[in-house]
mmCIF file of all heavy atoms in Angstrom:
data_model
loop_
_atom_site.group_PDB
_atom_site.id
_atom_site.type_symbol
_atom_site.label_atom_id
_atom_site.label_comp_id
_atom_site.label_asym_id
_atom_site.label_seq_id
_atom_site.Cartn_x
_atom_site.Cartn_y
_atom_site.Cartn_z
ATOM 1 N N MET A 938 0.813 -1.208 0.000
ATOM 2 C CA MET A 938 0.000 0.000 0.000
ATOM 3 C C MET A 938 0.850 1.263 0.000
ATOM 4 O O MET A 938 0.477 2.273 -0.610
ATOM 5 C CB MET A 938 -0.954 0.001 1.196
ATOM 6 C CG MET A 938 -2.101 -0.970 1.049
ATOM 7 S SD MET A 938 -2.947 -0.803 -0.549
ATOM 8 C CE MET A 938 -3.509 0.888 -0.455
ATOM 9 N N ALA A 939 1.989 1.230 0.678
ATOM 10 C CA ALA A 939 2.881 2.385 0.658
ATOM 11 C C ALA A 939 3.308 2.693 -0.768
ATOM 12 O O ALA A 939 3.344 3.855 -1.198
ATOM 13 C CB ALA A 939 4.096 2.128 1.545
ATOM 14 N N GLU A 940 3.593 1.641 -1.541
ATOM 15 C CA GLU A 940 3.980 1.807 -2.942
ATOM 16 C C GLU A 940 2.782 2.250 -3.781
ATOM 17 O O GLU A 940 2.896 3.152 -4.628
ATOM 18 C CB GLU A 940 4.541 0.483 -3.473
ATOM 19 C CG GLU A 940 4.876 0.474 -4.944
ATOM 20 C CD GLU A 940 6.005 1.416 -5.317
ATOM 21 O OE1 GLU A 940 6.789 1.827 -4.426
ATOM 22 O OE2 GLU A 940 6.101 1.774 -6.507
ATOM 23 N N ALA A 941 1.608 1.634 -3.556
ATOM 24 C CA ALA A 941 0.420 1.955 -4.364
ATOM 25 C C ALA A 941 -0.005 3.410 -4.173
ATOM 26 O O ALA A 941 -0.356 4.099 -5.147
ATOM 27 C CB ALA A 941 -0.723 1.015 -4.008
ATOM 28 N N VAL A 942 0.016 3.901 -2.936
ATOM 29 C CA VAL A 942 -0.442 5.271 -2.650
ATOM 30 C C VAL A 942 0.500 6.305 -3.284
ATOM 31 O O VAL A 942 0.080 7.401 -3.648
ATOM 32 C CB VAL A 942 -0.594 5.486 -1.132
ATOM 33 C CG1 VAL A 942 -0.871 6.950 -0.794
ATOM 34 C CG2 VAL A 942 -1.736 4.614 -0.591
ATOM 35 N N ARG A 943 1.767 5.938 -3.460
ATOM 36 C CA ARG A 943 2.714 6.840 -4.133
ATOM 37 C C ARG A 943 2.224 7.205 -5.527
ATOM 38 O O ARG A 943 2.522 8.282 -6.040
ATOM 39 C CB ARG A 943 4.092 6.179 -4.244
ATOM 40 C CG ARG A 943 4.932 6.231 -2.980
ATOM 41 C CD ARG A 943 6.289 5.587 -3.197
ATOM 42 N NE ARG A 943 6.990 6.205 -4.318
ATOM 43 C CZ ARG A 943 7.833 5.570 -5.126
ATOM 44 N NH1 ARG A 943 8.060 4.279 -4.973
ATOM 45 N NH2 ARG A 943 8.445 6.209 -6.097
ATOM 46 N N HIS A 944 1.486 6.292 -6.154
ATOM 47 C CA HIS A 944 1.029 6.491 -7.533
ATOM 48 C C HIS A 944 -0.465 6.801 -7.613
ATOM 49 O O HIS A 944 -1.075 6.641 -8.675
ATOM 50 C CB HIS A 944 1.360 5.247 -8.361
ATOM 51 C CG HIS A 944 2.818 4.901 -8.354
ATOM 52 N ND1 HIS A 944 3.759 5.606 -9.062
ATOM 53 C CD2 HIS A 944 3.502 3.941 -7.673
ATOM 54 C CE1 HIS A 944 4.953 5.095 -8.847
ATOM 55 N NE2 HIS A 944 4.828 4.084 -8.010
ATOM 56 N N ALA A 945 -1.049 7.203 -6.495
ATOM 57 C CA ALA A 945 -2.468 7.588 -6.456
ATOM 58 C C ALA A 945 -2.556 8.988 -5.844
ATOM 59 O O ALA A 945 -2.770 9.145 -4.630
ATOM 60 C CB ALA A 945 -3.265 6.579 -5.636
ATOM 61 N N PRO A 946 -2.375 10.025 -6.644
ATOM 62 C CA PRO A 946 -2.162 11.379 -6.125
ATOM 63 C C PRO A 946 -3.311 11.981 -5.336
ATOM 64 O O PRO A 946 -3.097 12.902 -4.546
ATOM 65 C CB PRO A 946 -1.880 12.201 -7.388
ATOM 66 C CG PRO A 946 -2.427 11.390 -8.521
ATOM 67 C CD PRO A 946 -2.282 9.973 -8.112
ATOM 68 N N HIS A 947 -4.544 11.478 -5.500
ATOM 69 C CA HIS A 947 -5.677 12.100 -4.806
ATOM 70 C C HIS A 947 -5.956 11.496 -3.421
ATOM 71 O O HIS A 947 -6.831 11.961 -2.711
ATOM 72 C CB HIS A 947 -6.933 12.030 -5.683
ATOM 73 C CG HIS A 947 -6.828 12.906 -6.897
ATOM 74 N ND1 HIS A 947 -7.704 12.820 -7.958
ATOM 75 C CD2 HIS A 947 -5.941 13.885 -7.223
ATOM 76 C CE1 HIS A 947 -7.365 13.699 -8.882
ATOM 77 N NE2 HIS A 947 -6.297 14.352 -8.454
ATOM 78 N N VAL A 948 -5.229 10.439 -3.061
ATOM 79 C CA VAL A 948 -5.374 9.888 -1.702
ATOM 80 C C VAL A 948 -4.699 10.847 -0.729
ATOM 81 O O VAL A 948 -3.494 11.085 -0.815
ATOM 82 C CB VAL A 948 -4.738 8.484 -1.596
ATOM 83 C CG1 VAL A 948 -4.765 8.000 -0.143
ATOM 84 C CG2 VAL A 948 -5.461 7.482 -2.495
ATOM 85 N N HIS A 949 -5.487 11.392 0.199
ATOM 86 C CA HIS A 949 -4.897 12.343 1.157
ATOM 87 C C HIS A 949 -4.751 11.773 2.565
ATOM 88 O O HIS A 949 -4.013 12.312 3.378
ATOM 89 C CB HIS A 949 -5.676 13.664 1.184
ATOM 90 C CG HIS A 949 -7.126 13.540 1.574
ATOM 91 N ND1 HIS A 949 -7.550 13.181 2.837
ATOM 92 C CD2 HIS A 949 -8.250 13.754 0.844
ATOM 93 C CE1 HIS A 949 -8.864 13.177 2.874
ATOM 94 N NE2 HIS A 949 -9.325 13.509 1.681
ATOM 95 N N THR A 950 -5.466 10.673 2.869
ATOM 96 C CA THR A 950 -5.390 10.091 4.213
ATOM 97 C C THR A 950 -5.342 8.578 4.130
ATOM 98 O O THR A 950 -6.135 7.964 3.399
ATOM 99 C CB THR A 950 -6.603 10.500 5.074
ATOM 100 O OG1 THR A 950 -6.708 11.926 5.102
ATOM 101 C CG2 THR A 950 -6.465 9.973 6.504
ATOM 102 N N VAL A 951 -4.415 7.976 4.874
ATOM 103 C CA VAL A 951 -4.340 6.526 5.014
ATOM 104 C C VAL A 951 -4.604 6.175 6.472
ATOM 105 O O VAL A 951 -3.881 6.624 7.370
ATOM 106 C CB VAL A 951 -2.957 5.979 4.581
ATOM 107 C CG1 VAL A 951 -2.881 4.475 4.852
ATOM 108 C CG2 VAL A 951 -2.693 6.273 3.113
ATOM 109 N N LEU A 952 -5.654 5.411 6.721
ATOM 110 C CA LEU A 952 -6.005 4.960 8.073
ATOM 111 C C LEU A 952 -5.505 3.532 8.243
ATOM 112 O O LEU A 952 -5.821 2.657 7.428
ATOM 113 C CB LEU A 952 -7.521 5.008 8.274
ATOM 114 C CG LEU A 952 -8.142 6.408 8.324
ATOM 115 C CD1 LEU A 952 -9.579 6.368 7.840
ATOM 116 C CD2 LEU A 952 -8.088 6.960 9.740
ATOM 117 N N GLU A 953 -4.712 3.283 9.282
ATOM 118 C CA GLU A 953 -4.098 1.966 9.467
ATOM 119 C C GLU A 953 -4.779 1.184 10.590
ATOM 120 O O GLU A 953 -4.921 1.679 11.716
ATOM 121 C CB GLU A 953 -2.614 2.118 9.788
ATOM 122 C CG GLU A 953 -1.797 2.624 8.624
ATOM 123 C CD GLU A 953 -0.307 2.573 8.881
ATOM 124 O OE1 GLU A 953 0.099 2.729 10.058
ATOM 125 O OE2 GLU A 953 0.463 2.383 7.919
ATOM 126 N N VAL A 954 -5.186 -0.032 10.266
ATOM 127 C CA VAL A 954 -5.766 -0.968 11.229
ATOM 128 C C VAL A 954 -4.647 -1.855 11.757
ATOM 129 O O VAL A 954 -3.906 -2.458 10.977
ATOM 130 C CB VAL A 954 -6.861 -1.833 10.565
ATOM 131 C CG1 VAL A 954 -7.325 -2.938 11.505
ATOM 132 C CG2 VAL A 954 -8.031 -0.962 10.115
ATOM 133 N N ASP A 955 -4.530 -1.940 13.087
ATOM 134 C CA ASP A 955 -3.483 -2.764 13.707
ATOM 135 C C ASP A 955 -4.108 -4.059 14.225
ATOM 136 O O ASP A 955 -4.945 -4.030 15.138
ATOM 137 C CB ASP A 955 -2.821 -1.994 14.853
ATOM 138 C CG ASP A 955 -1.540 -2.671 15.337
ATOM 139 O OD1 ASP A 955 -1.270 -3.811 14.909
ATOM 140 O OD2 ASP A 955 -0.827 -2.049 16.154
ATOM 141 N N LEU A 956 -3.696 -5.184 13.640
ATOM 142 C CA LEU A 956 -4.237 -6.480 14.064
ATOM 143 C C LEU A 956 -3.715 -6.927 15.424
ATOM 144 O O LEU A 956 -4.160 -7.956 15.943
ATOM 145 C CB LEU A 956 -3.907 -7.551 13.015
ATOM 146 C CG LEU A 956 -4.547 -7.380 11.630
ATOM 147 C CD1 LEU A 956 -4.085 -8.496 10.694
ATOM 148 C CD2 LEU A 956 -6.066 -7.358 11.716
ATOM 149 N N LEU A 957 -2.808 -6.159 16.002
ATOM 150 C CA LEU A 957 -2.238 -6.530 17.309
ATOM 151 C C LEU A 957 -3.317 -6.701 18.369
ATOM 152 O O LEU A 957 -3.183 -7.530 19.277
ATOM 153 C CB LEU A 957 -1.230 -5.469 17.759
ATOM 154 C CG LEU A 957 -0.511 -5.729 19.086
ATOM 155 C CD1 LEU A 957 0.348 -6.987 19.008
ATOM 156 C CD2 LEU A 957 0.332 -4.524 19.491
ATOM 157 N N ARG A 958 -4.411 -5.954 18.248
ATOM 158 C CA ARG A 958 -5.444 -6.021 19.295
ATOM 159 C C ARG A 958 -6.115 -7.393 19.365
ATOM 160 O O ARG A 958 -6.747 -7.723 20.370
ATOM 161 C CB ARG A 958 -6.484 -4.922 19.108
ATOM 162 C CG ARG A 958 -7.510 -5.152 18.019
ATOM 163 C CD ARG A 958 -8.512 -4.006 17.993
ATOM 164 N NE ARG A 958 -9.642 -4.268 17.133
ATOM 165 C CZ ARG A 958 -10.730 -4.933 17.498
ATOM 166 N NH1 ARG A 958 -10.823 -5.451 18.716
ATOM 167 N NH2 ARG A 958 -11.733 -5.105 16.654
ATOM 168 N N TYR A 959 -5.986 -8.191 18.283
ATOM 169 C CA TYR A 959 -6.580 -9.532 18.306
ATOM 170 C C TYR A 959 -5.641 -10.570 18.915
ATOM 171 O O TYR A 959 -6.030 -11.719 19.107
ATOM 172 C CB TYR A 959 -6.941 -9.970 16.881
ATOM 173 C CG TYR A 959 -8.066 -9.164 16.265
ATOM 174 C CD1 TYR A 959 -7.814 -8.225 15.270
ATOM 175 C CD2 TYR A 959 -9.386 -9.348 16.678
ATOM 176 C CE1 TYR A 959 -8.836 -7.493 14.699
ATOM 177 C CE2 TYR A 959 -10.416 -8.621 16.112
ATOM 178 C CZ TYR A 959 -10.136 -7.689 15.123
ATOM 179 O OH TYR A 959 -11.157 -6.962 14.565
ATOM 180 N N MET A 960 -4.402 -10.174 19.201
ATOM 181 C CA MET A 960 -3.426 -11.119 19.739
ATOM 182 C C MET A 960 -3.575 -11.262 21.254
ATOM 183 O O MET A 960 -3.995 -10.328 21.934
ATOM 184 C CB MET A 960 -2.000 -10.651 19.416
ATOM 185 C CG MET A 960 -1.692 -10.616 17.938
ATOM 186 S SD MET A 960 -1.741 -12.273 17.248
ATOM 187 C CE MET A 960 -1.289 -11.953 15.560
ATOM 188 N N THR A 961 -3.186 -12.417 21.760
ATOM 189 C CA THR A 961 -3.208 -12.653 23.216
ATOM 190 C C THR A 961 -1.886 -13.307 23.622
ATOM 191 O O THR A 961 -1.123 -13.797 22.771
ATOM 192 C CB THR A 961 -4.368 -13.586 23.606
ATOM 193 O OG1 THR A 961 -4.246 -14.820 22.876
ATOM 194 C CG2 THR A 961 -5.718 -12.959 23.293
ATOM 195 N N GLY A 962 -1.624 -13.287 24.914
ATOM 196 C CA GLY A 962 -0.478 -14.018 25.467
ATOM 197 C C GLY A 962 0.850 -13.581 24.897
ATOM 198 O O GLY A 962 1.105 -12.399 24.638
ATOM 199 N N LEU A 963 1.716 -14.568 24.656
ATOM 200 C CA LEU A 963 3.082 -14.309 24.208
ATOM 201 C C LEU A 963 3.116 -13.603 22.859
ATOM 202 O O LEU A 963 3.966 -12.734 22.614
ATOM 203 C CB LEU A 963 3.848 -15.643 24.132
ATOM 204 C CG LEU A 963 5.369 -15.550 23.980
ATOM 205 C CD1 LEU A 963 5.990 -14.776 25.130
ATOM 206 C CD2 LEU A 963 5.965 -16.951 23.890
ATOM 207 N N LYS A 964 2.186 -13.969 21.958
ATOM 208 C CA LYS A 964 2.169 -13.357 20.629
ATOM 209 C C LYS A 964 1.994 -11.846 20.726
ATOM 210 O O LYS A 964 2.607 -11.086 19.973
ATOM 211 C CB LYS A 964 1.044 -13.954 19.778
ATOM 212 C CG LYS A 964 1.312 -15.387 19.309
ATOM 213 C CD LYS A 964 0.146 -15.918 18.521
ATOM 214 C CE LYS A 964 0.408 -17.366 18.083
ATOM 215 N NZ LYS A 964 -0.753 -17.965 17.416
ATOM 216 N N LYS A 965 1.159 -11.401 21.643
ATOM 217 C CA LYS A 965 0.910 -9.958 21.790
ATOM 218 C C LYS A 965 2.182 -9.232 22.220
ATOM 219 O O LYS A 965 2.420 -8.088 21.844
ATOM 220 C CB LYS A 965 -0.209 -9.732 22.817
ATOM 221 C CG LYS A 965 -0.818 -8.333 22.777
ATOM 222 C CD LYS A 965 -1.979 -8.221 23.726
ATOM 223 C CE LYS A 965 -2.715 -6.900 23.541
ATOM 224 N NZ LYS A 965 -3.621 -6.898 22.398
ATOM 225 N N LEU A 966 3.018 -9.914 23.012
ATOM 226 C CA LEU A 966 4.271 -9.307 23.480
ATOM 227 C C LEU A 966 5.333 -9.309 22.389
ATOM 228 O O LEU A 966 6.142 -8.377 22.298
ATOM 229 C CB LEU A 966 4.793 -10.070 24.704
ATOM 230 C CG LEU A 966 3.895 -10.037 25.959
ATOM 231 C CD1 LEU A 966 4.450 -10.965 27.023
ATOM 232 C CD2 LEU A 966 3.790 -8.608 26.493
ATOM 233 N N ILE A 967 5.341 -10.344 21.550
ATOM 234 C CA ILE A 967 6.410 -10.509 20.560
ATOM 235 C C ILE A 967 6.226 -9.608 19.339
ATOM 236 O O ILE A 967 7.196 -9.048 18.812
ATOM 237 C CB ILE A 967 6.501 -11.988 20.118
ATOM 238 C CG1 ILE A 967 7.015 -12.844 21.278
ATOM 239 C CG2 ILE A 967 7.405 -12.155 18.905
ATOM 240 C CD1 ILE A 967 6.988 -14.325 21.001
ATOM 241 N N VAL A 968 4.974 -9.442 18.876
ATOM 242 C CA VAL A 968 4.714 -8.743 17.615
ATOM 243 C C VAL A 968 5.395 -7.373 17.521
ATOM 244 O O VAL A 968 6.021 -7.053 16.505
ATOM 245 C CB VAL A 968 3.198 -8.629 17.337
ATOM 246 C CG1 VAL A 968 2.908 -7.607 16.238
ATOM 247 C CG2 VAL A 968 2.637 -9.981 16.935
ATOM 248 N N PRO A 969 5.331 -6.516 18.566
ATOM 249 C CA PRO A 969 5.978 -5.198 18.435
ATOM 250 C C PRO A 969 7.475 -5.287 18.143
ATOM 251 O O PRO A 969 8.043 -4.387 17.503
ATOM 252 C CB PRO A 969 5.721 -4.552 19.802
ATOM 253 C CG PRO A 969 4.478 -5.213 20.308
ATOM 254 C CD PRO A 969 4.578 -6.632 19.833
ATOM 255 N N PHE A 970 8.119 -6.376 18.561
ATOM 256 C CA PHE A 970 9.563 -6.511 18.349
ATOM 257 C C PHE A 970 9.901 -7.054 16.952
ATOM 258 O O PHE A 970 11.003 -6.825 16.453
ATOM 259 C CB PHE A 970 10.168 -7.427 19.422
ATOM 260 C CG PHE A 970 10.110 -6.840 20.805
ATOM 261 C CD1 PHE A 970 9.122 -7.233 21.704
ATOM 262 C CD2 PHE A 970 11.025 -5.874 21.204
ATOM 263 C CE1 PHE A 970 9.049 -6.686 22.969
ATOM 264 C CE2 PHE A 970 10.963 -5.315 22.477
ATOM 265 C CZ PHE A 970 9.974 -5.722 23.365
#
């Protein structure tokens, strides 16, 4: 998407969904690293 938006000049805002909120336990701790 970072590459695609470079070539779409009228896109002014990109909203990012973080799937981290669905993680639990050890996975939730590891993902940020």
Side-chain angles (χ1 to χ4, degrees):
M938 287 310 299
E940 175 65 19
V942 172
R943 280 182 56 212
H944 303 286
H947 292 167
V948 174
H949 60 68
T950 305
V951 175
L952 291 152
E953 291 189 329
V954 172
D955 192 351
L956 295 178
L957 182 63
R958 77 178 190 85
Y959 293 106
M960 296 295 182
T961 57
L963 193 58
K964 288 178 181 175
K965 196 175 188 79
L966 297 173
I967 291 173
V968 165
F970 293 100

